[in-house]
Amino acid sequence: MKELSLTKTKQTQEDKNRQKELIDSGVVPEHIAIIMDGNGRWAQSKGNIRLFGHKVGVDSVRDITEACAQLGVKFLTLYAFSTENWGRPSAEVRGLMRLLVSSLRKEADNLHRNNIRLVTIGQMDRFPDDCIKELDEAISLTKDNTGLELCLALSYSGRWDITEAVKKIAKHVEEGRLAPNLINDQMIGDHLSTASIPDPDLIIRTSGEYRISNFLLWQLAYSELYITELYWPDFRRNELYEAIQSFQKRDRRFGKVRKKNKDEISN
Ligand code: FPP
């Protein structure tokens, strides 16, 4: 079988064993979402400019994407640029856009060879033309791939997503095609930008902040939360394995009772 590889280095036997252990020891999350935080602080702690942190952050993106594909994760959603990030100094915003374009140029073929499908969520029309062009090309190149779906949240915010869904539903009501009392959870989910994918099973946040920061507000209702003190550029596959291991120990009840307790109640 062809090995999945985005990085230049060959996967070690030790890493293959670790992945096999994880796959054998429980359920690997179907959908992982990540708030990649701490690039700026990581760079500054090394006496460097913030943009350097974003650059090294791209290496983490590559490593985590590759590891997720190898583990058989179906969806990986990365919070790459929030609606609020437009408010950063213009030099940083421009630097991030350039980094996005250069990363896509470098990685698109690689994603394609590895059967990864690239998609985006967010207000793409706010991006400069060269970003949109590069994204469109990578999306269309990889659209028929059947492996991991890599979703970049770009100019995204959970409140924007919900607002857009509400506007679409309100239009159906206005046009007389929908009675308000028929609006339910399912319908709202179906009008979000993530309509075609399941809610995240696991949400990871780096840099030790205990916040959701306007990420997938609706979709995270029952996601398991994993927070690490590490800054994003230091978050690599071994840390991902720790997060998945922690996920495998969780008792997901979705607001209900554990199976064992349920049996005790019914007896
Ligand atoms: C958070 O760190 C990170 C971001 C706002 C951007 C994330 C972007 C990348 C990893 C690179 C580009 C991505 C792709 C997919 C090519 P921060 O700047 O908020 O750090 P701080 O909290 O220390 O200030």
Side-chain angles (χ1 to χ4, degrees):
M1 198 182 107
K2 188 173 158 286
E3 284 190 7
L4 288 166
S5 167
L6 295 177
T7 46
K8 300 273 177 291
T9 48
K10 201 169 164 353
Q11 188 183 17
T12 63
Q13 191 55 47
E14 193 189 348
D15 188 52
K16 284 184 190 167
N17 294 345
R18 183 84 205 274
Q19 289 185 349
K20 184 171 181 323
E21 249 171 60
L22 270 182
I23 292 166
D24 292 345
S25 67
V27 175
V28 170
E30 186 181 20
H31 182 178
I32 300 179
I34 308 184
I35 301 177
M36 311 181 287
D37 195 18
N39 293 350
R41 278 167 288 165
W42 181 87
Q44 281 162 341
S45 74
K46 296 185 172 338
N48 237 308
I49 56 163
R50 295 174 55 80
L51 209 51
F52 179 62
H54 298 313
K55 275 192 186 145
V56 181
V58 174
D59 297 336
S60 294
V61 169
R62 193 181 303 108
D63 193 43
I64 296 305
T65 304
E66 178 181 288
C68 282
Q70 290 164 339
L71 282 166
V73 171
K74 297 245 167 34
F75 304 95
L76 173 65
T77 303
L78 302 177
Y79 206 8
F81 194 84
S82 73
T83 310
E84 290 75 19
N85 287 156
W86 290 112
R88 292 192 173 198
S90 56
E92 184 172 344
V93 172
R94 275 201 308 275
L96 275 166
M97 300 295 140
R98 274 199 302 271
L99 191 56
L100 184 63
V101 170
S102 63
S103 305
L104 286 164
R105 264 184 207 148
K106 246 189 263 162
E107 305 295 341
D109 285 341
N110 225 352
L111 292 175
H112 188 42
R113 269 199 303 278
N114 284 280
N115 197 25
I116 296 170
R117 196 166 58 256
L118 181 74
V119 299
T120 60
I121 50 172
Q123 292 170 285
M124 294 316 303
D125 52 359
R126 290 189 69 177
F127 279 83
D129 290 346
D130 59 339
C131 277
I132 297 179
K133 179 175 168 285
E134 219 57 57
L135 278 163
D136 283 349
E137 283 178 14
I139 290 169
S140 108
L141 175 72
T142 61
K143 71 177 183 347
D144 295 324
N145 290 341
T146 53
L148 174 74
E149 177 167 301
L150 172 63
C151 174
L152 299 181
L154 291 165
S155 189
Y156 177 87
S157 80
R159 287 183 177 178
W160 164 81
D161 204 357
I162 294 169
T163 306
E164 291 303 304
V166 169
K167 281 190 210 161
K168 286 179 209 149
I169 294 170
K171 197 153 194 325
H172 298 320
V173 173
E174 188 186 31
E175 289 167 354
R177 289 189 286 126
L178 175 68
N181 65 344
L182 292 180
I183 299 170
N184 58 19
D185 274 34
Q186 174 74 41
M187 187 180 294
I188 294 173
D190 288 346
H191 285 81
L192 293 170
S193 59
T194 50
S196 61
I197 64 175
D199 289 343
D201 301 292
L202 173 65
I203 157 92
I204 298 172
R205 180 168 190 147
T206 57
S207 96
E209 309 281 4
Y210 286 71
R211 289 192 285 277
I212 296 298
S213 296
N214 213 354
F215 195 24
L216 302 159
L217 296 179
W218 179 274
Q219 299 86 336
L220 294 177
Y222 280 103
S223 308
E224 295 296 324
L225 196 50
Y226 182 87
I227 293 170
T228 167
E229 296 295 319
L230 289 176
Y231 293 141
W232 177 249
D234 284 332
F235 189 90
R236 298 295 165 99
R237 61 181 60 211
N238 285 329
E239 287 71 39
L240 174 77
Y241 301 157
E242 296 288 316
I244 295 177
Q245 217 170 12
S246 160
F247 171 83
Q248 290 179 334
K249 292 189 191 123
R250 310 281 176 95
D251 176 25
R252 300 189 82 192
R253 296 188 298 280
F254 299 94
K256 300 178 183 126
V257 291
R258 286 166 61 189
K259 175 97 178 49
K260 185 170 175 290
N261 294 348
K262 199 168 147 190
D263 295 343
E264 279 163 9
I265 293 163
S266 58
N267 282 337

